[in-house]
């Protein structure tokens, strides 16, 4: 369970890095210091990064199962992990709404219209287009952050559960040892006396 969630969190971490780079590009593009050549270069990288975000969402997997795609594991609803020896000891993780919001924010880039020229698929060729993408990236960063925090809360809960299970195991073994193990010195003394 922890490895699966760490894989998803690693994907979110990289998505955050990509989103910050997209924000940097849009910020650079939102200046009249750029010309057509600069806007084209910034826009090309912005679009490539947007495509990589989609690829991460669709292709992040654990044990052959997609994790972040809206139809699989975390995107499909409740993911239940058995965390103890009884049927009641489970951990349910549900970040599907957060993932859907991330996907919506990513998709909105391709249909975003800015004042002046219409932006398609995250491209920008003037200040107004780049400024419109700034809003998109801010929304995207916020949605990724929300999904990461939901997943992180579940990871923290699992860490505490693991610590508690380890504690119960150690104490049960200690109790068993107290009951079952012989006091070697006392038994040797008794044997010698007999």
């Amino acid at each position: 369970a922890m490895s699966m969630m760490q894989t998803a969190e690693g994907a979110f971490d990289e998505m955050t890095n990509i989103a910050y780079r997209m924000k940097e590009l849009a910020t650079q593009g939102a200046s009249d210091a750029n010309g057509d050549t600069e806007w084209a270069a910034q826009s090309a990288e912005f679009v490539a990064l947007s495509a990589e975000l989609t690829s991460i969402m669709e292709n992040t997997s654990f044990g052959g199962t997609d994790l972040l795609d809206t139809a699989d594991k975390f995107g499909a609803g409740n993911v239940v992990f058995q965390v103890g020896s009884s049927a009641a000891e489970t951990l349910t993780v549900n970040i599907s709404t957060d993932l859907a919001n991330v996907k919506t924010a990513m998709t909105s880039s391709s249909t975003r219209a800015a004042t002046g020229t219409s932006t398609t698929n995250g491209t920008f060729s003037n200040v107004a287009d780049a400024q419109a993408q700034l809003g998109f990236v801010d929304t995207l960063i916020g949605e990724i952050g929300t999904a990461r925090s939901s997943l992180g809360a579940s990871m923290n809960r699992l860490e505490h559960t693991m610590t508690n299970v380890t504690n119960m195991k150690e104490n049960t073994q200690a109790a068993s040892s107290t009951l079952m193990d012989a006091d070697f010195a006392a038994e040797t003394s008794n044997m010698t006396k007999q």
Side-chain angles (χ1 to χ4, degrees):
M2 184 57 80
S3 295
M4 179 184 280
M5 288 192 282
Q6 285 173 338
T7 300
E9 205 287 324
F12 283 140
D13 183 48
E14 194 54 38
M15 290 173 71
T16 301
N17 294 338
I18 289 171
Y20 280 125
R21 177 61 183 153
M22 290 171 75
K23 180 159 178 118
E24 186 179 315
L25 289 168
T27 302
Q28 290 170 358
S31 171
D32 272 328
N34 295 298
D36 291 341
T37 305
E38 290 82 12
W39 276 316
Q42 292 161 346
S43 186
E45 185 178 352
F46 193 93
V47 170
L49 291 172
S50 182
E52 185 55 27
L53 283 174
T54 302
S55 177
I56 289 171
M57 285 286 287
E58 293 174 351
N59 297 315
T60 298
S61 64
F62 180 82
T65 302
D66 291 336
L67 294 180
L68 304 179
D69 194 18
T70 52
D72 295 314
K73 283 294 178 213
F74 292 119
N78 289 341
V79 178
V80 180
F81 298 107
Q82 185 69 36
V83 295
S85 59
S86 72
E89 295 176 275
T90 61
L91 172 69
T92 302
V93 178
N94 188 339
I95 60 169
S96 59
T97 302
D98 298 328
L99 279 176
N101 291 340
V102 170
K103 192 146 185 130
T104 299
M106 287 170 38
T107 317
S108 71
S109 167
S110 60
T111 56
R112 197 153 185 85
T115 348
T117 311
S118 173
T119 58
T120 312
N121 199 21
T123 61
F124 46 89
S125 58
N126 58 46
V127 171
D129 289 349
Q131 287 174 337
Q133 292 304 329
L134 281 172
F136 149 70
V137 175
D138 284 340
T139 301
L140 180 61
I141 289 170
E143 296 298 348
I144 293 171
T146 300
R148 281 184 84 177
S149 70
S150 295
L151 186 63
S154 294
M155 291 172 71
N156 286 339
R157 183 175 171 205
L158 183 59
E159 283 283 345
H160 292 295
T161 300
M162 289 167 42
T163 302
N164 187 47
V165 168
T166 301
N167 180 46
M168 288 189 307
K169 177 185 171 201
E170 288 172 359
N171 286 321
T172 302
Q173 286 175 337
S176 174
S177 175
T178 301
L179 295 172
M180 302 292 287
D181 293 348
D183 181 343
F184 192 77
E187 293 301 323
T188 303
S189 174
N190 284 337
M191 183 182 77
T192 304
K193 185 170 66 171
Q194 296 298 327

